[in-house]
Amino acid sequence: MSDSLSDLSSKSIQEISECSNLKELELLRVKYLGKKGAITKQLKALGKLTPSERPKAGQKINILKEKVQSLIDARKIVLADASIQEKIESSSIDVTLSGRKNNRGNIHPISSILYEIESIFHNSGFRVEDGPEIEDEYHNFTALNIPENHPARAMHDTFYFNANYLLRTHTSPIQIRSMETHGVPIKVIAPGKVYRRDSDITHTPMFHQIEGLVIDKDINFTHLKGMLHQFINTFYKRDMELRFRPSYFPFTEPSAEVDILSKDGSWLEILGCGMVHPKVLENLKIDPEVYTGYAFGMGVERLAMLRHEIKDIRLFYENDLHFLNQFK
Ligand code: DAH
């Protein structure tokens, strides 16, 4: 019996010290000190000893029992600490890790070109005006010297709401609205969306124009030429060659279309312009003998396509991030 007790002692001490988690430790407690545990069994077996052997044997077993109990208690503290430590390590935040990336958006290439053009004209003393996209027939056509049944109306593939209201086909009606509001002299530009029933690689049903209007005493065609040349050079940041081609617009006389010489040697049309037609001024009760002026309207997508060498205008409106991210 004494032998088996010392075996039990060394075995239990070793097992408790090697035990690596609280669950295992509880199993060891049951194994040695539980109701059917090895040490408990030894105590129960005391009855089989002679009365003279009993006290000494009982004392030994009780010493072992207390020892095992205190080893288990001590081990429990160590393992509980370790498990807390492990929990802290596994759930804590590592502040040295690099953060998640947030994708930054950017201004749409057309908007950014609009802002840029606005600022160039703003620096030359132009006021920036706005007008409605749902326009009436008078401002979009009639006041601009395009009366009903005039063939020039057919030049615009108009989206009509009814006989009187439509989606503006150009920014030119803002010329009329600006003069109605501010009178003359006037020096404005008006950027905005315009709409036409047209769609292919160089046309989208919605696109952008910037309208310009300058009315004062003694304004002539050279002022228009000089201003446009200066604008184009500033916009493209180099000395550009311009070509003024005679053209026809009902609201200007004379009228011209302006081409720029592109890097590959071809002429590309970028805007229409001219001296404001006397009839337009008369429609606004402005005396064309006293006031003269020039106007122009340019296609913003055109300028953007030339600047970025883009061949298909529809790319601007497909919202493809591969395309848009190039303009960051
Ligand atoms: N509104 C014309 C268009 O959309 C462009 C234009 C031509 C505007 C001549 C003007 C101008 O102000 O003077 O085709």
Side-chain angles (χ1 to χ4, degrees), residues 207-267:
F207 58 103
H208 296 79
Q209 287 187 335
I210 292 195
E211 193 76 16
L213 175 72
V214 174
I215 310 262
D216 207 335
K217 289 173 180 159
D218 303 321
I219 297 284
N220 60 50
F221 206 91
T222 59
H223 293 117
L224 171 62
K225 281 184 83 172
M227 188 279 305
L228 285 178
H229 211 138
Q230 198 187 332
F231 162 72
I232 291 296
N233 285 350
T234 310
F235 181 74
Y236 286 103
K237 299 186 176 72
R238 64 191 168 98
D239 200 14
M240 300 286 288
E241 213 167 313
L242 294 192
R243 178 170 78 177
F244 285 74
R245 220 173 353 94
S247 184
Y248 169 75
F249 298 103
F251 34 90
T252 44
E253 180 58 35
S255 303
E257 279 171 304
V258 176
D259 305 330
I260 57 175
L261 189 58
S262 73
K263 278 181 189 157
D264 65 11
S266 57
W267 290 100

Side-chain angles (χ1 to χ4, degrees), residues 10-40:
S10 58
K11 207 171 147 212
S12 61
I13 291 169
Q14 193 189 351
E15 282 183 5
I16 291 166
S17 71
E18 284 172 0
C19 166
S20 65
N21 64 57
L22 290 167
K23 235 188 202 166
E24 243 175 57
L25 190 64
E26 174 60 11
L27 292 177
L28 287 177
R29 189 193 65 76
V30 173
K31 179 178 173 183
Y32 291 107
L33 305 176
K35 267 186 200 161
K36 292 176 183 171
I39 294 173
T40 317

Side-chain angles (χ1 to χ4, degrees), residues 156 169-170 172 175 196 209 211-212 249 251-252 272-274 295-297:
H156 299 218
T169 56
H170 51 178
S172 301
Q175 288 187 28
R196 290 186 198 175
Q209 287 187 335
E211 193 76 16
F249 298 103
F251 34 90
T252 44
C273 63
F296 59 91

Side-chain angles (χ1 to χ4, degrees), residues 140-202:
N140 197 79
F141 293 124
T142 314
L144 287 161
N145 195 32
I146 319 173
E148 222 172 315
N149 302 321
H150 189 285
R153 281 208 189 186
M155 286 164 62
H156 299 218
D157 298 299
T158 311
F159 287 110
Y160 281 96
F161 292 104
N162 53 40
N164 195 30
Y165 286 98
L166 44 87
L167 284 173
R168 69 178 175 206
T169 56
H170 51 178
T171 43
S172 301
I174 310 177
Q175 288 187 28
I176 306 298
R177 291 186 176 276
S178 306
M179 286 189 279
E180 283 172 350
T181 312
H182 305 291
V184 287
I186 195 168
K187 192 174 180 186
V188 290
I189 56 155
K193 292 182 167 67
V194 300
Y195 303 85
R196 290 186 198 175
R197 286 171 36 192
D198 214 349
S199 182
D200 59 37
I201 105 164
T202 51

